[in-house]
Amino acid sequence: MAVSSDLLEILRCPVCVREVEDGGHLDLTKEVWLVCRNCGRKYPIRDDIPIMLIDEGTRWQTTAVDALPATPPEPVS
Ligand SMILES: [Zn+2]
C-alpha cells in the first residue's frame, strides 16, 4: 500500500503553506520522501504515513535528493 494520490494532493509543507501563497506543494521522490518545492525540506513516509513534522523536514533540508536513503531512518529523539 502506498500513500494515496488523494492524500498527496492535499498535503503541503507546514512551513511554506503559511509563508508562501499557494506554496508548500510536495513532490513524491523515491516513493518514501515528500520534497517541498519551495524550501527543499524533505518529509519521510514511514509505514505509509507521511511524517509532516517541521523538525523532520528540516533535518533533511540540505540533503540532496539523490542522497536520500531509500528507507527513511528512524527519527532522532
Ligand atoms: Zn516548504
Side-chain angles (χ1 to χ4, degrees):
M1 251 312 269
V3 178
S4 77
S5 53
D6 285 352
L7 178 58
L8 294 177
E9 252 321 287
I10 60 170
L11 281 176
R12 295 289 184 273
C13 170
V15 178
C16 296
V17 75
R18 284 182 300 185
E19 297 185 354
V20 183
E21 187 175 348
D22 194 32
H25 286 262
L26 301 161
D27 287 317
L28 183 64
T29 301
K30 296 188 178 186
E31 299 185 35
V32 289
W33 293 96
L34 295 168
V35 182
C36 176
R37 293 178 194 173
N38 294 111
C39 67
R41 284 183 174 83
K42 300 168 186 72
Y43 300 90
I45 299 171
R46 292 196 186 94
D47 300 326
D48 295 335
I49 299 169
I51 313 296
M52 304 307 296
L53 300 174
I54 293 172
D55 283 353
E56 272 292 300
T58 303
R59 183 181 166 200
W60 302 99
Q61 190 169 14
T62 58
T63 304
V65 168
D66 286 347
L68 292 170
T71 304
E74 291 301 307
V76 178
S77 55

